[in-house]
């Protein structure tokens, strides 16, 4: 099953680059040209990870993050031209999991997507087994994976 990534970005060139690199890694990419459409997509067909611009028409990325956080813990990566420390701090404090500044390296975006998905899936699997008799068989210690079953 391919992970579904929602890209909310109003710059068509950036969307094409992200789609190219993410599709090449096997991800399904959904696109919304503004925050309002991104919110509609998330409500109808939830994504496994979101990449949001901050400066978009109809609803900016900050408001989009706030609204998505009302119903989802999906990983959110901000990809924005807003590069001031205050912008990054606001984005992270309102619910983004990562913040990248434009211009960006598409390979770094892909690496951060993989990292966020790996954490999200691993922690959700661990949370789903909490309170059950099945022990967690895998532990991540600073990138070293310890598997008790092998």
């Amino acid at each position: 099953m391919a992970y579904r990534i929602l890209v909310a970005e109003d710059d068509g060139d950036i969307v094409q680059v992200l789609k190219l690199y993410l599709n090449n890694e096997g991800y399904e990419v959904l696109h919304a040209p503004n925050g309002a459409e991104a919110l509609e997509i998330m409500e109808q067909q939830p994504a496994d990870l979101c990449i949001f611009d901050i400066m978009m028409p109809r609803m900016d990325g900050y408001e989009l993050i706030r609204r998505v956080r009302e119903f989802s813990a999906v990983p959110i990566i901000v990809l924005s031209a807003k590069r001031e420390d205050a912008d990054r701090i606001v984005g992270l404090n309102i619910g983004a999991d990562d913040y990248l500044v434009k211009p960006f390296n598409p390979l770094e975006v892909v690496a951060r997507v993989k990292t966020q998905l790996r954490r999200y899936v691993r922690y959700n699997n661990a949370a789903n087994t909490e309170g059950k008799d099945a022990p967690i068989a895998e532990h991540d210690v600073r990138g070293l994976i310890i598997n008790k079953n092998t």
Side-chain angles (χ1 to χ4, degrees):
M1 177 181 88
Y3 289 111
R4 181 181 299 145
I5 299 173
L6 172 60
V7 176
E9 170 65 63
D10 59 337
D11 184 324
D13 292 336
I14 290 174
V15 172
Q16 290 307 318
V17 168
L18 290 173
K19 276 187 177 183
L20 175 69
Y21 279 83
L22 293 169
N23 286 154
N24 281 344
E25 291 295 321
Y27 299 116
E28 176 187 349
V29 178
L30 305 174
H31 171 246
N34 60 63
E37 287 185 37
L39 187 59
E40 289 174 16
I41 290 171
M42 277 299 292
E43 290 171 342
Q44 294 170 6
Q45 48 181 343
D48 298 301
L49 182 137
C50 299
I51 300 174
F52 295 158
D53 187 14
I54 295 299
M55 297 180 290
M56 294 184 290
R58 293 185 57 201
M59 180 188 299
D60 71 23
Y62 293 138
E63 181 62 21
L64 178 58
I65 293 168
R66 283 187 199 96
R67 301 277 297 272
V68 168
R69 285 293 176 242
E70 291 174 3
F71 63 89
S72 178
V74 65
I76 298 173
I77 299 173
V78 171
L79 187 59
S80 178
K82 295 178 75 77
R83 59 180 51 245
E84 298 297 320
D85 288 343
D87 298 317
R88 295 176 198 208
I89 292 166
V90 168
L92 294 168
N93 281 338
I94 63 171
D97 298 289
D98 202 351
Y99 195 111
L100 285 162
V101 176
K102 297 174 186 174
F104 60 92
N105 180 333
L107 294 174
E108 182 181 2
V109 174
V110 170
R112 289 176 185 252
V113 164
K114 288 179 180 179
T115 299
Q116 290 296 332
L117 284 171
R118 181 176 62 243
R119 288 182 184 147
Y120 182 67
V121 169
R122 180 169 293 133
Y123 292 144
N124 275 344
N125 286 341
N128 288 338
T129 60
E130 270 184 29
K132 297 179 183 174
D133 293 331
I136 299 172
E138 225 179 63
H139 296 279
D140 184 352
V141 180
R142 295 185 180 180
L144 173 66
I145 305 298
I146 301 171
N147 187 330
K148 293 181 179 180
N149 293 336
T150 56

